[in-house]
Amino acid sequence: MIVGTAGHIDHGKTTLVHALTGVDTDRLPEEKKRGISIELGYAFLDVPGSPQDERIGFIDVPGHERLVHTMLAGATGIDFALLLVAADDGVMPQTREHLAVLSLLGLARGAVAITKVDRADAQRVDQVRAEVSALLSGSPLSGAPVIAVSAHSGEGVEALRALLFEAARAMPLRLQDASSFRLAIDRAFTLDGVGTVVTGTVHAGQLAVGDEVVLTPGATQGHARVRSLHAQNRTVTRAHAGQRCAVALAGVGKDQVARGQWLVVQGCASATDRIDASLTLWHDEAKALRSGTPVHVHIGSVDVLGTVAVLQVEGDESDGAASSMAPGSSALVQLVLRQPIGAWHGDRVVLRDNAASRTLAGGRVLDPFAPARYRRTPQRMAELHAWSQPDATSRLAALIGAAPFGVSLRRWALAEGTPANELPALPHGALHVVDAAHGDWTLGEAFARAAQEAVLGALATFHAREPNALGADAGRLRRLAAPRLAEPLWRALLASLRADGKLVLRGTFVHLPEHGLRLSATDERLAQKIKPLMSITAFEGCWVRDLAADTHESEALMRTTLARLAQRGELHQVMKDLYYSQDCVVRMAEILRSVAAGTPGEVTAARFRDATGLGRKRAIQVLEYFDRVGLLRRVGDVHRLRSDTQLFLGQVAA
């Protein structure tokens, strides 16, 4: 169990921890000199008679108003709050703010120690006890035990220690936590003979000596190996959620580590600068929290500036966008951060005002990878309510039922901190796609049927509008029918419709079975004459005038026939009057992908020219054609291979 102290400056937090544990948590010379805590301090206390060798960890936080950000860095991982109020001072400003922090972090287990009772008479202690009772009223700690103590005389210390032992024994074990390992780093240093050491509270999962880990976020995510472990100030081979942990790392320098980073297992690293959360504005806040308000955002041990966007206030189901939330109210919000941080579903979040002078609100992360667009639509609100379900299985099922454009299972697992190979069972009837490049995707059964109907309807409309065209290009059809559907799901949708005989794929064109561009007898005759000629031109292609001359046909007739063959998907018109066969385009696409694999993803005209043996001008013309059909995307002087397309893969003309 992790106990976090809280309270106003000079109310005896460090002294009481010393009386309980025998450890002085003030380690810095400046702390010794000034007699106040500046940084987080740590101490430990064994629980007698515990079958699991339970040990209580104490996080001693600073009480000064300017150091609340440091207090928050330690408070986000605690299990039990110990709020201190000095008998001579009573409730003070930082007492109130620390209580707000603890409440907004969702802490409901705790106790209050009225300290320095040796400096006050019984009447004064009773008066402070009444102040504390009034202070806790309406907070999650309402009804918490209140114990009068004196660290100097020892009065009440044994009673408080016994209360903490009882709470620790009642603390449920978290050894079976199935989430991936995450530790919020609050300190980093170097030890001779050991190397870089990071400390923090383990928020989820388990870690063992020898495991490979990653620091995230950062300019470069540093990979490292666990050299040794200390959990609850004891040497161990394995640590788990709920423990204070020191991790000695091999392969990373101290200058690569900073408070606010996370230490995570490989495959769990993520960074985000846009978070959707469920938030409650503190009931004692003087004014409403409005969209656009700049705030300090605290998650884990990080403090980062951001902006609040209120999405929907609790109880307001209207379609109108909310712009503010009143004190004491709850709302769905989006936090737009100035720099990326690590965050996962369920993480606690606390907001302080832009000047970092008071605590405003708190809540928990729903979706750590929030969208910049469509964030207030009814569909998005339904997805956020799905993210609010109490367990992972329910959340995934509800999200699939609320997401008309599909759910990325890789993204969902990363947001949940769940290993990708331990996903809950998927709903029956969902369209599931396994995609090595983009990860698995799932589309709910009802949404899959609606998407199929949209595709068939868009094709029918296209044929009615352009009866002389063979069909719609697959990319154009996607823009018409399902522009926001993920590429893997789009391909699976077309494949299922094709397998059911509801549409026909011919090259890059899609048409209904009953619709086909028929060739005339003249077109058929010319097609047979040009087929052997186009097969011997390699990557240079064929010009209309040359084919007309070689076959002794008119250019006008040849141009009309080639255009019809291109509409049927049998030829490709790279530029005016220049045509390529399907086989030739497929081979050039294969070369292009191999060129892009070495960069990665980028293709220049010079490298494509060298790989194909084409001249520079022709190479540029072919690359521009691939841009137009959606295989490439032009970015400055380079062409980038689109990661969301399967054009020309496995397509060989008969």
Side-chain angles (χ1 to χ4, degrees), residues 571-634:
L571 298 178
H572 295 266
Q573 185 178 8
V574 170
M575 58 178 298
K576 180 176 173 59
D577 282 356
L578 178 62
Y579 287 85
Y580 282 80
S581 68
Q582 171 74 358
D583 285 346
C584 186
V585 170
V586 168
R587 290 197 299 272
M588 288 193 295
E590 290 175 350
I591 292 172
L592 184 144
R593 283 189 163 93
S594 66
V595 170
T599 28
E602 293 185 355
V603 179
T604 62
R607 296 185 70 229
F608 185 65
R609 174 201 62 197
D610 294 342
T612 57
L614 291 170
R616 176 175 174 80
K617 182 177 180 180
R618 185 58 52 80
I620 291 174
Q621 291 168 344
V622 173
L623 289 176
E624 289 176 344
Y625 173 73
F626 284 142
D627 287 336
R628 290 196 300 275
V629 299
L631 180 63
L632 298 175
R633 180 178 69 252
R634 181 71 178 269

Side-chain angles (χ1 to χ4, degrees), residues 116-197:
K116 304 184 181 182
V117 294
D118 54 314
R119 299 185 183 183
D121 56 26
Q123 183 178 358
R124 174 57 182 166
V125 172
D126 289 341
Q127 182 181 348
V128 173
R129 194 184 298 271
E131 289 180 11
V132 168
S133 178
L135 176 68
L136 298 183
S137 178
S139 78
L141 291 175
S142 177
V146 180
I147 298 179
V149 300
S150 169
H152 292 290
S153 69
E155 180 184 347
V157 172
E158 280 303 320
L160 178 58
R161 190 182 287 120
L163 185 149
L164 294 175
F165 288 158
E166 182 181 352
R169 294 187 186 104
M171 185 77 186
L173 291 177
R174 291 189 281 188
L175 287 170
Q176 303 305 315
D177 188 346
S179 300
S180 300
F181 174 83
R182 301 197 307 275
L183 178 144
I185 298 173
D186 53 39
R187 187 180 170 212
F189 52 91
T190 302
L191 286 179
D192 291 340
V194 176
T196 301
V197 178

Side-chain angles (χ1 to χ4, degrees), residues 457-472:
L459 269 181
T461 302
F462 179 86
H463 290 324
R465 187 174 61 249
E466 301 185 36
N468 294 325
L470 171 65

Side-chain angles (χ1 to χ4, degrees), residues 326-344:
S329 67
S330 298
L332 299 174
V333 305
Q334 185 167 109
L335 303 175
V336 183
L337 311 177
R338 295 193 184 178
Q339 65 188 58
I341 67 170
W344 287 262

Side-chain angles (χ1 to χ4, degrees), residues 391-410:
D391 60 84
T393 301
S394 299
R395 282 192 292 275
L396 181 56
L399 190 60
I400 292 173
F405 310 115
V407 175
S408 166
L409 298 182
R410 176 187 292 176

Side-chain angles (χ1 to χ4, degrees), residues 173-297:
L173 291 177
R174 291 189 281 188
L175 287 170
Q176 303 305 315
D177 188 346
S179 300
S180 300
F181 174 83
R182 301 197 307 275
L183 178 144
I185 298 173
D186 53 39
R187 187 180 170 212
F189 52 91
T190 302
L191 286 179
D192 291 340
V194 176
T196 301
V197 178
V198 300
T199 69
T201 300
V202 182
H203 282 236
Q206 302 182 56
L207 186 70
V209 173
D211 284 353
E212 298 292 325
V213 289
V214 179
L215 290 166
T216 186
T220 58
Q221 290 182 348
H223 291 253
R225 179 179 55 82
V226 178
R227 176 177 287 164
S228 62
L229 281 170
H230 275 66
Q232 303 294 73
N233 207 33
R234 287 190 280 209
T235 301
V236 296
T237 58
R238 182 176 296 275
H240 61 80
Q243 293 181 319
R244 282 292 308 172
C245 192
V247 187
L249 299 174
V252 64
K254 178 181 175 296
D255 57 346
Q256 295 177 261
V257 188
R259 172 182 288 173
Q261 287 183 304
W262 294 79
L263 188 70
V264 302
V265 292
Q266 290 193 12
C268 183
S270 68
T272 179
D273 60 4
R274 194 176 290 268
I275 295 167
D276 281 347
S278 172
L279 202 69
T280 298
L281 185 60
W282 185 234
H283 60 81
D284 276 346
E285 178 59 21
K287 56 185 179 181
L289 181 62
R290 298 186 177 279
S291 288
T293 301
V295 292
H296 283 260
V297 179

Side-chain angles (χ1 to χ4, degrees), residues 76-89:
T76 51
I78 68 176
D79 305 304
F80 189 95
L82 183 57
L83 182 65
L84 277 67
V85 182
D88 51 353
D89 280 345

Side-chain angles (χ1 to χ4, degrees), residues 6 18 30 40 74 90 94-95 99 271 319 376 381 390 433 537 563 567 626 633:
H18 183 270
E30 185 68 12
L40 299 172
Q94 253 48 64
T95 313
L99 175 63
D319 292 337
R376 286 190 174 94
M381 293 302 101
V433 181
T537 57
Q567 287 178 323
F626 284 142
R633 180 178 69 252

